[in-house]
Amino acid sequence: MPTLTDNPPAQDIPQRNLLTSKASALSIVLASVATLAIVFLIVNSSSGPSTQVQSVPAQPDTVSQWVAAPAKPALPTVAEPPPAPVGPATDVRGFVDSEARCDPGERAAAIARTARSVMVVCDDSGSYRYRGIRLRDGAFLELDDVRPFGAGFEAHNGGTTYRLSPTELVVLNGESLQSRDAILEFRVG
């Protein structure tokens, strides 16, 4: 008979159940820690800028409101005065009542005006002539040595060259710049 001091007989406790219980407890602890970490990240990330969705109220149907609105009485029209001429009057031959004008039978290939002068380039069947007037003293210049140059014309008078373009009139004496005037009005015939 066994005594209390004797060791009890070893019981057959399956080792597998003990390991399974420890593994289950460890996995529960790890899952809890992971869940807490995810909750912590979500709570901390919501303190930054967040995307919010806002609804926009529907707009009224303005087209039907326009159609339904009563017609307003028409205001009487007031005749506006014609715009004041910016510079001297021109027509197809150049400046009216001026020496900067083509002869009958010629047409103006270009009509231009600067603050200091008016000019016309006359076309007589492919032969060009430059006629210009300095406004301050009425000095007149007529040149027959004229050729198309880019979008404008170039006229020669000895060593002086006159380059007329839609943007400027440049006067050169040899290679030296004599003057450069902005074009205020330019028309191609």
Side-chain angles (χ1 to χ4, degrees), residues 164-178:
L164 175 63
S165 76
T167 58
E168 63 186 358
L169 171 65
V170 176
V171 181
L172 302 166
N173 188 356
E175 297 294 319
S176 301
L177 177 66
Q178 296 298 305

Side-chain angles (χ1 to χ4, degrees), residues 38-100:
I38 292 172
V39 168
F40 177 76
L41 289 174
I42 291 172
V43 168
N44 284 340
S45 69
S46 67
S47 64
S50 62
T51 305
Q52 296 181 358
V53 177
Q54 296 180 349
S55 64
V56 178
Q59 300 297 315
D61 186 5
T62 55
V63 173
S64 63
Q65 289 176 352
W66 290 342
V67 173
K72 293 182 180 178
L75 297 175
T77 57
V78 177
E80 294 183 24
V86 176
T90 60
D91 63 12
V92 294
R93 290 180 33 216
F95 292 91
V96 177
D97 298 326
S98 168
E99 290 185 82

